Amino acid sequence: MTHDLLYERLADRMRRQIQRGVLRAGERLPSLRRLGRDQRISLATAVEAYQQLEREGLIEARPRSGYYVRAAPTAPSRGSRARHLSRTPMPVRNPALLGVLDVQSRRDLVPLHTATPASSLLPTAALAASVARAMRRDPETALSYTVPQGLPQLRERIAERYAQCGAEIDPDEVIITAGAMEAISLTLRTVTRPGDIVILETPTYHGLLQAVAAHGLRVLELPNHPGRGIDPAQLRELLERHAVRAALLVPSFNNPLGSLTGDEAKREIVAACAAHGTVVIEDDLYGELAYSGERPPPLRRYDDGEHVVTCSSYSKTLAPGLRVGWMLGGRRRSELLRTKSFSTVATATLPQMALIDFFARHDIERGLRRLRRALAGNAQAYRQAVLDHWPEGSCVSEPAGGMTLWVELPPEIDGQALFEAALAKGVGILPGHLFSNRGDYTHHVRLGCGHVWDKTTESALRTVGEVAKRLQG
Ligand SMILES: Cc1ncc(COP(=O)(O)O)c(C=O)c1O
């Protein structure tokens, strides 16, 4: 532990010196031995400090010459994969995360950078009619504050849906929020304090990294495996080594991988966290979007409300702009409700009323079946286009659900460079380093596959493939 702190402190000091220009680009750094002697630290600590700065792209090792400050220290240059469990909890240190909003708000791109279903795959007209009806029927209520917890009929519907997949939920513990993101942030705010250690998957959704950064938490990375999701043995290893306050996990269709953690592994994850007093914050946003059609159980199915807070929303199944989500508070219900009411008073009333109207008139299961089929078809078509048109050696994930594909590029192609070149051609994709807290996955990109498969999408994927081949040179 002391050793970890020492190397971090040394790396911090040197990072600041590089950023302030005290150590200049191209400058040779002291040898490991000299550094060890000067700083009165072991050789192993000196090596760890240099390796940390190397991973951040700030310094480089030149064969038989030593370590040098890199000429362009801003580009993250970590290896392509996070192969190992992280040994030291680290604050989120990926400056690129701040830029992601600029790209996400662009409307002039072929939107392969978003993980949103095309509006033609969602019941847009029916929802518009429900919004109009709710407003017409009771404008006074629709425009008033509602209770912080949300409308009872909507909470009952959410609880019923969970009961169908084996999780017995009391409607009274459901709290309506502005999307899953608010539910997650409120839970983090309620159960953690700045400096606490949380476990996040790697790779994981950049929004979760931003939420964790905003709360000043330190992150341990837990690999999510393309074919099988989270490995409970790896989770246990982290829990045994560190005092982990919370684990923020996406076991049903990780974004970007689309992987699914199996039922038995889910049971083990809950048991391990319970044994260590670690709160599980489950992001169940994509749970309804299994390509097999079978809704996987949420982690909450294996818990009695003591250890798991499940968060989700209608953003990916009905309409992201309604901003209606929820959390299943379990025994933390009152605390979470207090945080919710102090932070946003209540979730907007009209969208909740519109959803109640919508559910009374429409069979959501039929719509979901259609959506799942369309997304599965899209994933297959997008995948094939990457295999056909992108440089040889590109590997693309085979998602089991959700709406994202993860592409590992040949090592000569940088994900950020491809992202920038694609933008210049009017195509949005996201660089892989956004999906890790320290800028891993420099040779990956993420594609959203919620946009309908048509000539525009096909041509966009072909264009990105051509650009990638050019970058490969
Ligand atoms: C894994 C994950 N969690 C949360 C969100 C945000 O969800 P919401 O729109 O419900 O806030 C996203 C959006 O893409 C996501 O991919």
Coordinates of all heavy atoms in Angstrom, one line a residue, residues 343-392:
S343 N -32.3 17.4 -4.7 CA -31.5 17.8 -5.9 C -32.4 18.3 -7.0 O -32.1 19.3 -7.7 CB -30.6 16.6 -6.3 OG -31.1 15.9 -7.4
T344 N -33.5 17.6 -7.3 CA -34.4 18.1 -8.4 C -35.8 18.2 -8.0 O -36.7 18.3 -8.9 CB -34.2 17.2 -9.6 OG1 -34.6 15.9 -9.2 CG2 -32.9 17.2 -10.2
V345 N -36.2 18.2 -6.8 CA -37.5 18.3 -6.3 C -38.4 17.1 -6.7 O -38.9 16.3 -5.9 CB -38.2 19.6 -6.6 CG1 -39.6 19.7 -6.0 CG2 -37.4 20.8 -6.2
A346 N -38.6 17.0 -8.0 CA -39.3 15.8 -8.5 C -39.0 15.7 -10.0 O -38.5 16.6 -10.6 CB -40.8 16.0 -8.3
T347 N -39.4 14.5 -10.6 CA -39.2 14.4 -12.0 C -40.4 15.0 -12.7 O -41.5 15.1 -12.1 CB -39.1 12.9 -12.4 OG1 -38.1 12.3 -11.6 CG2 -38.9 12.6 -13.8
A348 N -40.2 15.5 -13.9 CA -41.3 16.3 -14.6 C -42.6 15.4 -14.7 O -42.5 14.2 -14.9 CB -40.8 16.6 -16.1
T349 N -43.7 16.1 -14.5 CA -45.0 15.4 -14.3 C -45.5 14.9 -15.7 O -46.0 13.8 -15.8 CB -46.0 16.4 -13.6 OG1 -45.4 17.0 -12.6 CG2 -47.2 15.6 -13.2
L350 N -45.5 15.8 -16.7 CA -46.2 15.5 -18.0 C -45.7 14.2 -18.6 O -46.5 13.4 -19.0 CB -46.0 16.7 -18.9 CG -46.6 16.5 -20.3 CD1 -48.1 16.2 -20.3 CD2 -46.4 17.7 -21.2
P351 N -44.3 14.0 -18.7 CA -43.9 12.7 -19.3 C -44.4 11.5 -18.5 O -44.7 10.5 -19.1 CB -42.4 12.8 -19.2 CG -42.1 14.3 -19.1 CD -43.2 14.9 -18.4
Q352 N -44.5 11.6 -17.2 CA -45.0 10.5 -16.4 C -46.4 10.2 -16.7 O -46.8 9.1 -16.9 CB -44.8 10.7 -14.9 CG -43.4 10.9 -14.5 CD -43.2 11.0 -13.0 OE1 -43.6 10.1 -12.2 NE2 -42.7 12.2 -12.5
M353 N -47.2 11.3 -16.8 CA -48.6 11.1 -17.2 C -48.8 10.5 -18.6 O -49.6 9.7 -18.8 CB -49.4 12.4 -17.0 CG -49.6 12.9 -15.6 SD -50.2 14.6 -15.5 CE -51.8 14.5 -16.2
A354 N -48.0 11.0 -19.5 CA -48.0 10.5 -20.9 C -47.7 9.0 -20.9 O -48.4 8.2 -21.6 CB -47.0 11.3 -21.7
L355 N -46.7 8.6 -20.1 CA -46.4 7.1 -20.1 C -47.5 6.3 -19.5 O -47.8 5.2 -20.1 CB -45.1 6.9 -19.3 CG -43.8 7.3 -20.1 CD1 -42.6 7.3 -19.2 CD2 -43.6 6.4 -21.3
I356 N -48.2 6.8 -18.5 CA -49.3 6.1 -17.9 C -50.4 5.9 -19.0 O -50.9 4.8 -19.2 CB -49.8 6.8 -16.7 CG1 -48.8 6.7 -15.6 CG2 -51.1 6.2 -16.2 CD1 -49.0 7.6 -14.4
D357 N -50.6 6.9 -19.7 CA -51.6 6.9 -20.8 C -51.2 5.9 -21.9 O -52.0 5.0 -22.3 CB -51.8 8.3 -21.4 CG -52.8 8.3 -22.6 OD1 -52.4 8.0 -23.7 OD2 -54.0 8.5 -22.3
F358 N -49.9 5.9 -22.2 CA -49.4 5.1 -23.3 C -49.5 3.6 -22.9 O -50.0 2.8 -23.7 CB -47.9 5.5 -23.5 CG -47.2 4.6 -24.5 CD1 -47.4 4.8 -25.9 CD2 -46.4 3.5 -24.1 CE1 -46.7 3.9 -26.8 CE2 -45.8 2.7 -25.0 CZ -45.9 2.9 -26.3
F359 N -49.1 3.3 -21.7 CA -49.2 1.9 -21.2 C -50.6 1.3 -21.1 O -50.8 0.1 -21.3 CB -48.5 1.7 -19.9 CG -47.0 1.9 -19.9 CD1 -46.3 2.7 -19.0 CD2 -46.2 1.3 -20.9 CE1 -45.0 2.9 -19.1 CE2 -44.9 1.4 -21.0 CZ -44.2 2.3 -20.1
A360 N -51.6 2.2 -20.9 CA -53.0 1.8 -20.8 C -53.5 1.4 -22.2 O -54.5 0.7 -22.3 CB -53.8 2.9 -20.2
R361 N -52.8 1.9 -23.3 CA -53.4 1.7 -24.6 C -52.6 0.8 -25.5 O -53.1 0.3 -26.5 CB -53.4 3.1 -25.3 CG -54.4 4.0 -24.8 CD -54.2 5.4 -25.2 NE -55.0 6.3 -24.5 CZ -56.3 6.6 -24.9 NH1 -56.7 6.2 -26.0 NH2 -57.0 7.4 -24.1
H362 N -51.3 0.6 -25.1 CA -50.5 -0.2 -26.1 C -49.8 -1.3 -25.4 O -49.5 -1.3 -24.2 CB -49.4 0.8 -26.6 CG -50.0 1.9 -27.4 ND1 -50.4 1.9 -28.7 CD2 -50.2 3.2 -27.0 CE1 -50.9 3.0 -29.1 NE2 -50.8 3.9 -28.0
D363 N -49.6 -2.3 -26.2 CA -48.9 -3.5 -25.8 C -47.4 -3.3 -26.0 O -46.9 -3.4 -27.1 CB -49.3 -4.7 -26.6 CG -48.6 -6.0 -26.3 OD1 -47.8 -6.0 -25.3 OD2 -48.7 -7.0 -27.0
I364 N -46.7 -2.9 -24.9 CA -45.3 -2.6 -25.0 C -44.4 -3.8 -25.5 O -43.5 -3.6 -26.2 CB -44.7 -1.9 -23.8 CG1 -43.3 -1.5 -24.0 CG2 -44.9 -2.8 -22.6 CD1 -42.6 -0.8 -22.9
E365 N -44.9 -5.0 -25.1 CA -44.1 -6.2 -25.4 C -44.0 -6.3 -27.0 O -43.0 -6.7 -27.5 CB -44.7 -7.4 -24.8 CG -43.9 -8.7 -24.8 CD -42.4 -8.5 -24.5 OE1 -42.1 -7.9 -23.4 OE2 -41.6 -8.9 -25.3
R366 N -45.1 -6.0 -27.7 CA -45.0 -6.1 -29.1 C -44.0 -5.2 -29.7 O -43.2 -5.5 -30.6 CB -46.4 -5.8 -29.7 CG -46.9 -7.0 -30.5 CD -48.3 -6.7 -31.1 NE -48.2 -5.8 -32.3 CZ -49.2 -5.0 -32.7 NH1 -50.4 -5.1 -32.0 NH2 -49.1 -4.2 -33.7
G367 N -44.0 -4.0 -29.2 CA -43.0 -3.0 -29.7 C -41.6 -3.4 -29.4 O -40.7 -3.2 -30.2
L368 N -41.4 -4.0 -28.2 CA -40.1 -4.4 -27.8 C -39.6 -5.5 -28.7 O -38.4 -5.6 -29.1 CB -40.1 -4.9 -26.3 CG -40.0 -3.8 -25.3 CD1 -40.2 -4.4 -23.9 CD2 -38.7 -3.0 -25.4
R369 N -40.5 -6.5 -29.0 CA -40.1 -7.6 -29.9 C -39.6 -7.0 -31.2 O -38.6 -7.4 -31.8 CB -41.3 -8.5 -30.2 CG -41.5 -9.6 -29.1 CD -42.3 -10.7 -29.6 NE -43.7 -10.3 -29.9 CZ -44.7 -10.3 -29.0 NH1 -44.5 -10.6 -27.7 NH2 -45.9 -9.9 -29.4
R370 N -40.3 -6.0 -31.7 CA -39.9 -5.4 -33.0 C -38.6 -4.7 -32.9 O -37.7 -4.9 -33.7 CB -41.0 -4.4 -33.4 CG -40.8 -3.8 -34.8 CD -42.0 -3.0 -35.2 NE -41.6 -2.0 -36.1 CZ -41.3 -0.7 -35.8 NH1 -41.5 -0.3 -34.6 NH2 -40.9 0.1 -36.7
L371 N -38.4 -4.0 -31.8 CA -37.2 -3.2 -31.6 C -36.0 -4.2 -31.5 O -34.9 -4.0 -32.1 CB -37.3 -2.4 -30.3 CG -36.1 -1.6 -29.9 CD1 -35.7 -0.6 -31.0 CD2 -36.4 -0.8 -28.6
R372 N -36.2 -5.3 -30.7 CA -35.1 -6.2 -30.5 C -34.6 -6.8 -31.8 O -33.5 -7.0 -32.1 CB -35.5 -7.4 -29.5 CG -35.6 -7.0 -28.1 CD -36.0 -8.2 -27.3 NE -36.6 -7.8 -26.0 CZ -37.8 -8.1 -25.7 NH1 -38.6 -8.8 -26.5 NH2 -38.2 -7.7 -24.5
R373 N -35.7 -7.2 -32.6 CA -35.4 -7.8 -33.9 C -34.6 -6.9 -34.8 O -33.6 -7.2 -35.4 CB -36.7 -8.2 -34.6 CG -37.0 -9.7 -34.4 CD -38.0 -10.2 -35.5 NE -39.2 -9.3 -35.7 CZ -40.3 -9.3 -34.9 NH1 -40.4 -10.2 -34.0 NH2 -41.3 -8.5 -35.2
A374 N -35.1 -5.6 -34.8 CA -34.4 -4.6 -35.7 C -33.0 -4.4 -35.2 O -32.1 -4.3 -36.1 CB -35.2 -3.3 -35.6
L375 N -32.8 -4.3 -33.9 CA -31.4 -4.0 -33.4 C -30.5 -5.2 -33.7 O -29.3 -5.0 -34.1 CB -31.4 -3.7 -31.9 CG -32.1 -2.4 -31.5 CD1 -32.2 -2.3 -30.0 CD2 -31.4 -1.2 -32.1
A376 N -31.0 -6.4 -33.5 CA -30.2 -7.6 -33.8 C -29.8 -7.6 -35.3 O -28.7 -7.9 -35.7 CB -31.0 -8.9 -33.5
G377 N -30.8 -7.3 -36.2 CA -30.5 -7.2 -37.6 C -29.5 -6.1 -37.9 O -28.5 -6.3 -38.7
N378 N -29.6 -5.0 -37.3 CA -28.7 -3.9 -37.5 C -27.3 -4.3 -37.1 O -26.3 -4.1 -37.8 CB -29.0 -2.7 -36.6 CG -30.1 -1.9 -37.2 OD1 -30.7 -2.2 -38.2 ND2 -30.5 -0.8 -36.5
A379 N -27.2 -4.9 -35.9 CA -25.8 -5.3 -35.4 C -25.2 -6.3 -36.4 O -24.0 -6.1 -36.7 CB -26.0 -6.0 -34.0
Q380 N -26.0 -7.2 -37.0 CA -25.4 -8.1 -37.9 C -24.9 -7.4 -39.2 O -23.8 -7.7 -39.7 CB -26.5 -9.1 -38.2 CG -25.9 -10.5 -38.5 CD -27.1 -11.5 -38.7 OE1 -28.2 -11.1 -38.6 NE2 -26.7 -12.7 -39.0
A381 N -25.8 -6.5 -39.7 CA -25.5 -5.8 -40.9 C -24.2 -4.9 -40.8 O -23.3 -4.9 -41.6 CB -26.7 -5.0 -41.4
Y382 N -24.2 -4.2 -39.7 CA -23.1 -3.2 -39.4 C -21.8 -4.1 -39.3 O -20.7 -3.7 -39.8 CB -23.3 -2.5 -38.1 CG -24.2 -1.3 -38.1 CD1 -25.5 -1.4 -38.6 CD2 -23.8 -0.1 -37.5 CE1 -26.3 -0.3 -38.5 CE2 -24.6 1.0 -37.5 CZ -25.9 0.9 -38.0 OH -26.7 2.0 -37.9
R383 N -21.9 -5.2 -38.6 CA -20.8 -6.0 -38.3 C -20.2 -6.5 -39.6 O -19.0 -6.5 -39.9 CB -21.3 -7.2 -37.4 CG -20.2 -7.8 -36.6 CD -20.7 -8.9 -35.7 NE -19.5 -9.5 -35.3 CZ -18.9 -10.5 -35.9 NH1 -19.5 -11.1 -36.9 NH2 -17.8 -11.0 -35.5
Q384 N -21.1 -7.0 -40.5 CA -20.6 -7.5 -41.8 C -20.0 -6.4 -42.6 O -18.9 -6.7 -43.2 CB -21.8 -8.1 -42.5 CG -21.4 -9.0 -43.7 CD -20.5 -10.1 -43.3 OE1 -20.7 -10.8 -42.3 NE2 -19.4 -10.3 -44.0
A385 N -20.5 -5.2 -42.5 CA -19.9 -4.1 -43.3 C -18.5 -3.8 -42.8 O -17.6 -3.6 -43.6 CB -20.8 -2.9 -43.1
V386 N -18.3 -3.9 -41.5 CA -16.9 -3.7 -41.0 C -16.0 -4.8 -41.5 O -14.9 -4.5 -41.9 CB -17.0 -3.6 -39.4 CG1 -15.6 -3.6 -38.8 CG2 -17.7 -2.4 -38.9
L387 N -16.5 -6.0 -41.4 CA -15.7 -7.1 -41.9 C -15.4 -7.0 -43.4 O -14.3 -7.3 -43.8 CB -16.3 -8.5 -41.6 CG -16.5 -8.8 -40.1 CD1 -17.3 -10.1 -39.9 CD2 -15.2 -8.9 -39.4
D388 N -16.3 -6.5 -44.1 CA -16.1 -6.4 -45.6 C -15.3 -5.2 -46.0 O -14.5 -5.3 -46.9 CB -17.5 -6.2 -46.3 CG -18.3 -7.5 -46.2 OD1 -17.7 -8.6 -45.9 OD2 -19.5 -7.5 -46.5
H389 N -15.4 -4.1 -45.3 CA -14.8 -2.8 -45.8 C -13.7 -2.2 -45.0 O -13.0 -1.3 -45.4 CB -15.9 -1.8 -46.0 CG -17.0 -2.2 -46.8 ND1 -16.9 -2.6 -48.1 CD2 -18.4 -2.3 -46.6 CE1 -18.0 -3.0 -48.7 NE2 -19.0 -2.8 -47.7
W390 N -13.5 -2.7 -43.8 CA -12.5 -2.1 -42.9 C -11.2 -2.9 -43.1 O -11.2 -4.0 -43.6 CB -12.9 -2.1 -41.5 CG -14.0 -1.1 -41.2 CD1 -15.0 -0.7 -42.0 CD2 -14.2 -0.3 -40.0 NE1 -15.8 0.2 -41.5 CE2 -15.4 0.5 -40.2 CE3 -13.5 -0.2 -38.8 CZ2 -15.9 1.4 -39.2 CZ3 -14.0 0.7 -37.8 CH2 -15.2 1.5 -38.1
P391 N -10.1 -2.3 -42.7 CA -8.8 -2.9 -42.9 C -8.7 -4.4 -42.4 O -9.4 -4.7 -41.4 CB -7.8 -2.1 -42.2 CG -8.4 -0.8 -42.0 CD -9.9 -1.0 -42.0
E392 N -8.0 -5.2 -43.1 CA -7.8 -6.6 -42.6 C -7.2 -6.6 -41.2 O -6.4 -5.7 -40.9 CB -6.9 -7.3 -43.6 CG -7.1 -8.7 -43.7 CD -6.3 -9.4 -44.8 OE1 -6.5 -8.9 -46.0 OE2 -5.6 -10.3 -44.5

